[in-house]
């Protein structure tokens, strides 16, 4: 935003990026025009954190090239090339996961929504039962939040149905109040 001399912005965060977006909203409320939390409406406190802690501990024990091959195969098996090839070419930062999850674990639940001054779209895949488990709590905790589901989509709703995901974000953006 600074380099473009623009703002406030619509921030879209998926999964771990959604929790990072909540932290951005907390520290920079005036720079946020709207927030889309995609696949990031589950509490990371208490027993909900157990699977994340397990993964964060496992990732450093597996060589990055092995994780990359496994992730590439999985994405190519599940999605068409036009959906995943840019992600595969960009690569993965597996080495950052333990530290990133260390920052998230134990910090976020619906109460984090009180730090968000802008309207919020909670956008989840219908079949993403884990990461949408707290969506109604998150929505109730904010006076201007709504939930939208991408039918038949899982955690990677943006890959499962890119058009529906993009349309939802565009509709939300068009409804945001204009701020000067």
């Amino acid at each position: 935003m600074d380099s473009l001399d623009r703002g406030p912005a619509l921030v879209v965060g998926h999964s771990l990026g959604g929790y990072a977006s909540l932290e951005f909203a907390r520290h920079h409320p005036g720079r946020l025009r709207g927030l889309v939390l995609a696949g990031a409406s589950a509490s990371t406190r208490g027993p909900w954190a157990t699977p994340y802690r397990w993964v964060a501990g496992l990732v450093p024990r597996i060589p990055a090239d092995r994780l990359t091959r496994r992730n590439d195969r999985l994405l190519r098996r599940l999605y068409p090339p036009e959906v995943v090839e840019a992600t595969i070419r960009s690569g993965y930062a597996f080495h950052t996961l333990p530290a990133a999850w260390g920052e998230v674990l134990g910090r976020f639940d619906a109460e984090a929504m009180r730090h968000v001054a802008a309207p919020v779209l909670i956008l989840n895949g219908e079949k993403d039962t884990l990461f949408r488990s707290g969506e109604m709590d998150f929505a109730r905790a904010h006076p201007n939040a709504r939930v939208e589901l991408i039918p038949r989509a899982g955690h990677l709703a943006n890959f499962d149905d890119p058009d529906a995901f993009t349309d939802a974000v565009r509709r939300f953006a068009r409804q945001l109040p204009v701020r000067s």
Side-chain angles (χ1 to χ4, degrees):
M1 281 186 274
D2 291 340
S3 68
L4 297 173
D5 194 29
R6 303 276 184 201
L10 168 60
V11 174
V12 180
H14 176 262
S15 196
L16 181 58
Y19 298 108
S21 298
L22 278 171
E23 191 67 4
F24 177 84
R26 175 184 166 145
H27 291 287
H28 307 286
R31 302 191 76 187
L32 202 64
R33 185 165 168 239
L35 176 63
V36 177
L37 293 177
S41 53
S43 175
T44 66
R45 293 183 174 200
W48 289 106
T50 302
Y52 305 120
R53 287 188 202 287
W54 182 78
V55 170
L58 181 64
V59 167
R61 297 180 193 160
I62 302 171
D65 62 331
R66 184 173 167 201
L67 287 169
T68 297
R69 284 192 307 274
R70 176 176 256 160
N71 217 47
D72 288 353
R73 274 195 310 267
L74 179 67
L75 289 175
R76 286 185 173 122
R77 190 174 77 233
L78 296 175
Y79 303 105
E82 63 272 13
V83 173
V84 298
E85 285 304 320
T87 297
I88 291 170
R89 272 193 313 276
S90 296
Y92 315 99
F94 294 118
H95 66 284
T96 66
L97 284 178
W101 277 115
E103 290 293 319
V104 168
L105 294 174
R107 293 188 58 197
F108 295 99
D109 60 12
E111 282 297 305
M113 296 293 281
R114 67 185 166 93
H115 298 291
V116 182
V120 178
L121 171 62
I122 299 168
L123 183 60
N124 289 318
E126 175 187 35
K127 294 181 177 181
D128 185 10
T129 55
L130 177 61
F131 287 96
R132 63 176 279 230
S133 60
E135 69 188 13
M136 295 315 297
D137 294 332
F138 274 63
R140 280 191 294 270
H142 190 282
N144 196 2
R146 68 180 177 86
V147 174
E148 185 168 337
L149 298 179
I150 306 294
R152 298 172 304 281
H155 185 59
L156 297 178
N158 54 325
F159 283 7
D160 290 327
D161 195 338
D163 292 335
F165 188 93
T166 302
D167 289 346
V169 172
R170 283 186 180 140
R171 280 192 312 278
F172 178 67
R174 287 186 194 115
Q175 295 170 356
L176 292 173
V178 177
R179 292 169 62 181
S180 50

